[in-house]
Amino acid sequence: MLIAFNKPFNVLCQFTDRSQPPRATLAGFGLPANVYAAGRLDYDSEGLLLLTDDGNLAHRLTDPRHKQPKTYWVQVEGVPSAEKLQALRDGVQLNDGPTLPAQARLLEPAPRLWQRDPPVRFRKTVPDAWLAITLREGRNRQVRRMTAAVGLPTLRLVRASMGPHALDALQPGQWRCIDG
C-alpha cells in the first residue's frame, strides 16, 4: 500500500509525540493502520509525504542510492539573481559538505496554494519570490540550508513531488491511496 498525504504545517511525520505539550502527529488524520512515513518532512514544512506498509518500497523511495528526485516549492526572502540560482544549480557548500547539483528555477507566477496557519509574516519592505528546487539527495533541512547559503532565507517550504508521485490537488490533511 502506498499513500500520498498532504502534511500540514506544524505536524510531526510520526504517529506519536512524547514532548510536552504534545505536538500534532500523523495519528490525527485517519490514516490506515500499519503505514509509516517513507522519509520525512520537517515539522515546519508542508506538502507531499508518502506512507507505506512495505519496507522495501520505503527503502526504494528514500535511499539516496536510488536518487529519487524530490521537488520543493520554496518561498524565499529576497529576489533571486541569476547568480544565486546558478549557485543552487551547481551545488552549495554546507557545514556538512557540498551538496549535489540541483535543479532550481524561479516560479512565476507563484504556485496557487492553500493558506498556511499561521500565515508567513508579510513585510512590505522585503520582497519575496517562489523557487522550484529539485534534489536527488536528502540531508537534514537541506533546502533551507541551501537557500540560506546563497542569501535567500526560506519563508515557506512545500514538497510538491517525490519520484513519480505528486501532491496534485490534495489539500492539507487529505490523503489518497496510490495504485502500484
Side-chain angles (χ1 to χ4, degrees):
M1 174 186 317
L2 182 62
I3 293 172
F5 174 64
N6 185 345
K7 186 191 92 60
F9 179 74
N10 284 354
V11 171
L12 286 176
C13 283
Q14 56 197 43
F15 286 88
T16 59
D17 181 31
R18 296 176 197 247
S19 64
Q20 291 300 324
R23 296 169 289 182
T25 68
L26 299 177
F29 296 95
L31 291 157
N34 301 318
V35 296
Y36 298 92
R40 50 185 304 272
L41 194 56
D42 292 327
Y43 180 71
D44 56 351
S45 298
E46 309 163 71
L48 182 65
L49 179 67
L50 297 177
L51 297 105
T52 184
D53 59 355
D54 181 338
N56 290 328
L57 176 58
H59 178 76
R60 286 193 309 273
L61 290 168
T62 60
D63 190 292
R65 290 176 289 196
H66 296 288
K67 300 201 181 331
Q68 289 288 323
K70 295 177 226 41
T71 298
Y72 299 86
W73 294 335
V74 189
Q75 184 181 20
V76 295
E77 184 176 282
V79 178
S81 64
E83 293 80 18
K84 289 180 180 188
L85 287 172
Q86 191 59 49
L88 292 169
R89 291 181 195 120
D90 292 342
V92 296
Q93 182 67 40
L94 301 177
N95 61 356
D96 57 351
T99 66
L100 293 175
Q103 294 172 325
R105 64 181 174 86
L106 188 61
L107 279 177
E108 288 185 317
R112 296 184 67 150
L113 296 173
W114 54 89
Q115 293 294 314
R116 194 184 83 178
D117 183 27
V120 172
R121 185 169 59 115
F122 175 74
R123 297 187 338 191
K124 290 181 188 177
T125 59
V126 180
D128 63 55
W130 282 89
L131 306 177
I133 298 177
T134 301
L135 306 176
R136 292 186 178 270
E137 61 181 333
R139 297 189 205 175
N140 186 40
R141 300 184 71 78
Q142 182 175 345
V143 172
R144 293 175 189 278
R145 294 189 300 143
M146 287 176 69
T147 61
V150 299
L152 299 166
T154 294
L155 300 172
R156 187 175 181 188
L157 186 90
V158 178
R159 183 159 53 204
S161 67
M162 189 171 169
H165 309 292
L167 192 57
D168 297 327
L170 282 178
Q171 293 300 300
Q174 292 182 335
W175 59 271
R176 71 173 179 275
C177 288
I178 299 172
D179 293 333

